[in-house]
Amino acid sequence: MKFAPRPTGAGEMFQLLRDGTPRTRSELATITGQARSTIAARIDVLTAAGLITSVGEASSTGGRRPATFAFNPTARIVLGVDLGASHARVAVADLAATIVVNHDEPLRIADGPEKVLARVIQLGKDLVAESGHELSDLAAVGIGLPGPVEHATGRPVAPPIMPGWDGYDVAGTLRRAFGAPVLVDNDVNLMAVGEQRTSWQEHTNMLFVKVATGIGSGIILDGTLRRGAQGAAGDIGHIALPGFSEAPCNCGNYGCLEAVAGGAALARALREKGLDVDGTAEVVAAVKDGNADARAAVRDAGREVGTILAGCVSMLNPSLVVVGGALVGAGEQLMAGIREVLYRRSLPLATEHLRVVTSQTRDSAGVLGGAYLAIDHVLSPTAIDALFA
């Protein structure tokens, strides 16, 4: 097989090995256009760092068979953290984003950053130990928060359902506790990344929609996560729905999608009908139990989500819409409502080949996205080049 040589640094060369395919020094020299001696020196440094390992020998056309080298994802670990309005999920993963051990539990984001992050730190340390690793093996942490985040600083920006979190130094707090780099993003952005990288790599234009206590979306266009100028891209939960001007929202406005179709809003509406439900989980349970009011409420919620998504699809033209979040557990009621309106109201050209599906990664989407965010940071060409400085 012939390759067109392309000059590349050590960091770029390492990216060639991240797909797990074993390659010889000669193959790497051919691909990169670098001298065999340069490739050999880089292989030595990456092997010493534990990032690649010898995995056997290639066939020989004469003489000694050449050694092959491949990425070693077990060299270090990362921590993926997914915080929602009412839950915390934490997972330890290797450098290929394979989850080693994980944990989830109820945790109210409204309890404030000190209490919530203290619990995240404890869970993270416990899981690292449970995975059989030392804290020194932790390469980075990726965490998602249920609100807008200034990506450059990792600080929440006026998050509607997170009292006390505005401007809080989340990255600094966790960095001091774990002694590793910390990357912070919106939770649905990370879900979009986790879902796309795990299950839909062929779809480079995708929307991930979380429908739970809150509602939001993550946008992937041309294979790249789009965050927007202030990190608020995809915040569809606070787009106003026509006909609901009396519904108050946590953001201070009225008629927002989240205030009408979010899990908390559905629970409130069902309580007014005499149903004993406290939140999203109880709404889902009521649907599964066959309660007619709950089924109708979730179907209607799907229609309202579909109304907003129709505009998004017409504007962004994704090939895939993935719906995740706790309300997906209610079954086909939500999805049927979304599809009913989305396909009817979007531009025909935009929906001609559009697929609308439920999440394949389900509850793991956020922690997988956090793991990928952390991994991409520590294995970036710049980070790898720093090993040779």
Side-chain angles (χ1 to χ4, degrees):
M1 182 175 182
K2 294 184 184 251
F3 300 95
R6 55 186 179 90
T8 181
E12 291 293 341
M13 186 204 80
F14 174 72
Q15 306 310 309
L16 298 171
L17 293 165
R18 284 184 64 182
D19 65 2
T21 302
R23 292 181 172 89
T24 65
R25 296 181 181 90
S26 178
E27 288 172 333
L28 290 169
T30 301
I31 296 170
T32 64
Q34 300 295 317
R36 288 281 299 273
S37 58
T38 301
I39 295 297
R42 290 172 176 173
I43 292 252
D44 288 344
V45 172
L46 292 170
T47 301
L51 292 174
I52 65 173
T53 185
S54 176
V55 292
E57 297 175 333
S59 58
S60 174
T61 57
R64 190 173 65 180
R65 295 198 297 175
T68 59
F69 298 88
F71 175 44
N72 175 25
T74 64
R76 304 285 297 278
I77 55 171
V78 296
L79 205 61
V81 182
D82 171 28
L83 296 180
S86 56
H87 74 262
R89 297 188 179 98
V90 184
V92 172
D94 67 16
L95 295 181
T98 300
I99 293 178
V100 179
V101 62
N102 64 88
H103 173 84
D104 66 87
E105 65 178 44
L107 188 63
R108 295 178 66 253
I109 199 73
D111 287 343
E114 289 84 3
K115 181 176 180 179
V116 171
L117 293 181
R119 183 57 182 156
V120 167
I121 290 166
Q122 186 59 59
L123 287 173
K125 290 181 177 180
D126 289 347
L127 288 174
V128 168
E130 186 179 338
S131 73
H133 286 271
E134 302 291 334
L135 206 56
S136 58
D137 295 330
L138 185 63
V141 179
I143 178 171
L145 302 175
V149 172
E150 185 180 50
H151 183 64
T153 64
R155 294 176 184 264
V157 181
I161 63 168
M162 300 171 62
W165 288 81
D166 186 27
Y168 194 84
D169 187 11
V170 176
T173 299
L174 296 183
R175 185 172 56 247
R176 288 187 290 273
F178 291 116
V182 177
L183 295 307
V184 188
D185 211 326
N186 170 263
D187 61 338
V188 193
N189 282 347
L190 294 191
M191 290 177 184
V193 171
E195 182 78 19
Q196 194 267 343
R197 297 271 289 268
T198 301
S199 304
W200 308 99
Q201 293 186 35
E202 71 277 17
H203 288 273
T204 56
N205 295 281
M206 183 189 103
L207 292 179
F208 184 96
V209 183
K210 174 189 176 184
V211 188
T213 302
I215 299 175
S217 71
I219 304 169
I220 293 177
L221 296 178
D222 299 323
T224 301
L225 177 67
R226 306 296 181 179
R227 297 183 174 91
Q230 274 77 46
D235 198 1
I236 62 171
H238 299 287
I239 297 176
L241 279 167
F244 292 94
S245 60
E246 300 302 316
C249 184
N250 287 323
C251 72
N253 290 323
Y254 289 82
C256 294
L257 176 63
E258 186 174 298
V260 176
L266 296 183
R268 184 167 55 250
L270 290 172
R271 284 197 299 273
E272 292 174 358
K273 291 179 177 290
L275 201 62
D276 184 19
V277 290
D278 292 327
T280 307
E282 287 81 6
V283 172
V284 171
V287 172
K288 290 181 175 180
D289 287 342
N291 182 274
D293 287 335
R295 289 168 64 88
V298 171
R299 180 70 172 254
D300 285 344
R303 293 187 180 104
E304 303 305 343
V305 173
T307 297
I308 299 301
L309 284 180
C312 298
V313 166
S314 294
M315 182 171 67
L316 300 174
N317 189 206
S319 62
L320 181 72
V321 174
V322 180
V323 183
L327 271 179
V328 169
E332 193 56 28
Q333 297 300 321
L334 179 74
M335 296 301 295
I338 290 174
R339 292 187 181 111
E340 174 189 335
V341 177
L342 175 56
Y343 283 111
R344 187 176 75 241
R345 295 195 178 183
S346 297
L347 292 172
L349 183 60
T351 57
E352 184 178 5
H353 302 293
L354 177 70
R355 295 181 63 188
V356 181
V357 301
T358 56
S359 169
Q360 301 297 297
T361 56
R362 293 300 178 101
D363 291 348
S364 298
V367 291
L368 283 168
Y372 279 118
L373 188 69
I375 291 164
D376 288 348
H377 175 76
V378 298
L379 298 185
S380 67
T382 300
I384 297 300
D385 283 340
L387 296 173
F388 295 82

